[in-house]
Amino acid sequence: LISLYMSDWCPYCLRAKGLLTQKNLVFSEINVDDDAKFREEMIARSSRRTVPQIFIGDKHVGGCDELFELDRSGELDRLIQGA
């Protein structure tokens, strides 16, 4: 299960969402603007305040730049297969 903590106004969130969609991956979008508890949950899980924050299962993979780096290295596919 991939979780994407995001915000509608964030261009990095759209890029991350686009990559996951392009790879035909199923993910849940958790919009931190909809409810303050979602932002609090994101901060508690990731220790970061910025969006996006991406989790594959319970593993925090980081934000948009980290997601694209994982994809370039091939590690993203390995993580998804193991999840």
Side-chain angles (χ1 to χ4, degrees):
L1 173 66
I2 301 171
S3 302
L4 173 67
Y5 288 88
M6 46 94 54
S7 183
D8 288 331
W9 53 265
C10 166
Y12 297 103
C13 298
L14 293 175
R15 284 190 65 216
K17 185 176 163 179
L19 176 62
L20 295 173
T21 301
Q22 176 188 335
K23 294 180 79 63
N24 294 316
L25 298 173
V26 177
F27 58 96
S28 62
E29 292 179 46
I30 304 163
N31 192 321
V32 299
D33 294 333
D34 289 346
D35 191 325
K37 75 175 180 181
F38 294 140
R39 183 173 292 276
E40 292 167 15
E41 177 184 282
M42 177 192 78
I43 293 168
R45 287 184 75 190
S46 68
S47 300
R48 296 187 185 178
R49 305 184 78 78
T50 58
V51 288
Q53 294 303 322
I54 303 146
F55 290 82
I56 298 174
D58 289 330
K59 180 176 174 50
H60 179 232
V61 298
C64 182
D65 291 343
E66 291 93 346
L67 181 69
F68 273 82
E69 182 55 40
L70 284 173
D71 187 46
R72 277 191 296 273
S73 72
E75 185 63 24
L76 180 59
D77 293 330
R78 285 190 288 281
L79 281 172
I80 289 162
Q81 289 168 355

